[in-house]
Every structure is written in C-alpha cells, then in structure tokens.
Amino acid sequence: MTEVARKRVGVLISGRGSNLQALLDACADGAFPAEIALVISDQAAAPGLERAARARVPSQVIARRDHPDKAAHDDAHDDAMTAALEAAGVELVCLAGFMRLLSEAFVDHWRDRLINIHPSLLPLFPGLDTHHRALAAGVKLHGCTVHFVRFEMDSGPIVGQAAVPVLPGDDAAALGARVLTAEHQLYPHCLRLVAEGRVEIRGEIAEIPGIDPAARLVNPAP
Ligand code: GRF
C-alpha cells in the first residue's frame, strides 16, 4: 500500500466542536491526506476538547486575557497560538467554531494556509446569527461556506459551499441543524482538496484546476 503524505493540521475551536469531530472522523482514515496534529481552544470548558482527547489528538487551551471588548484583537494570544502550532509542525490551520477575530499578524503568517467554515452562503450573511438573518431575508437557499481566511471577517477565497433548502415552517434552530449537517460533509471535503494541494488562489479566487465542478458543491435534495 502506498503511504499518503498527510498534511499536519491544527484546529482552533471555542466550543462544541462538531465540525472538529467531522474533521477527526475524516482524518481517522489513514488514506485521508491530512492528520490533526493539534487542537487549540481559547476556552478551557470547550466540549470540543473532549472530542480531541477521545481521538487521542493533543490539545492545548490558550486562553485570551480578559478584555472588556470581546471583539478586540489579542495579538499576544494569537502569537502564542502560532508558536504552539509551529512547535507541533502544523502546515494548515482550520477554524472550527473559533469565536474570536484573529490578529493581522496571525492571518498574515498563515495566509493561504488558514481556512474557516461559516454557516451561510458567503458573501451573504457574514458575522453572527446567520440563520435568523437568512429567515428574515426570506432566502430560499441557505448553507455554508469553507473559505481561506483574510483579515476582514468572514471574507476570503471560497473553496466550496453546500446549499440547503429553507423549508416552510423553519425556525432558526431547524434551519441551523440542516446547515450543520451540511457543514459536517463540506468541511472534510474541502480540507481534502486543500491538503492535496489542488486549490490555487488566483486574484483572490480559489481555483481547483481539473476538478469536476460538481465536486466542489454539495447541493440540496429538492
Ligand atoms: C458552526 O456553525 C460553524 O460554521 C461556525 O460555528 C459553529 C461551530 O459549531 N463557525 P461546532 O463547534 O463546530 O459544533
């Protein structure tokens, strides 16, 4: 059997970690082109840390200093994360429900090696409360996006998207659950494409030369 060169991935979380779980499950297959080398949480109580432990993946809590402005950047914190990721030999970083804005230095250091999953079809609905906002806007398709991270929140070249229908009677919880199921499919799929080195960024557009266009979309059943 040929050995696959597996990219070493760091995953940053703040909470539940269901997307982390989807990535751990994908990486549990030795043929997957990535392995999770380190999980970092900024919250000591994040349930996602138990998921890392169960998968026998090293984790670290790197807590942010208390800051009255929750949206403020914390450069020292993010430098500490870069140091830990580098020490673990990480080559690619996945944000999976990491609920803080990252410093410019962090985003620059990991440029084109840092991806995020966001629960909307970007560029629609960047930021929080995406499911409420999708319902309020009356969109008929909603979904999630995996994208390379740029300094401006929820922006950057799009690797892939998954769409789900908005159904009559949906509330934010029902719609969010449908999107989350799609997230768990989309994130490992996109990580595979990035880890295989198939994604090229040209003029801030992520291109995947030679790919069947259908393979970068996860579409809803009618
Ligand atoms: C997901 O909806 C993700 O798209 C967003 O934060 C949520 C994290 O959920 N960025 P989980 O911690 O992965 O379960």
Side-chain angles (χ1 to χ4, degrees), residues 16-19 97 117-119 183:
R16 173 178 63 180
S18 70
N19 278 287
I117 187 155
H118 179 75
E183 292 184 41

Side-chain angles (χ1 to χ4, degrees), residues 8-30:
R8 290 177 70 77
V9 171
V11 184
L12 309 191
I13 62 167
S14 296
R16 173 178 63 180
S18 70
N19 278 287
L20 165 65
Q21 188 67 55
L23 298 179
L24 287 167
D25 291 348
C27 292
D29 175 354

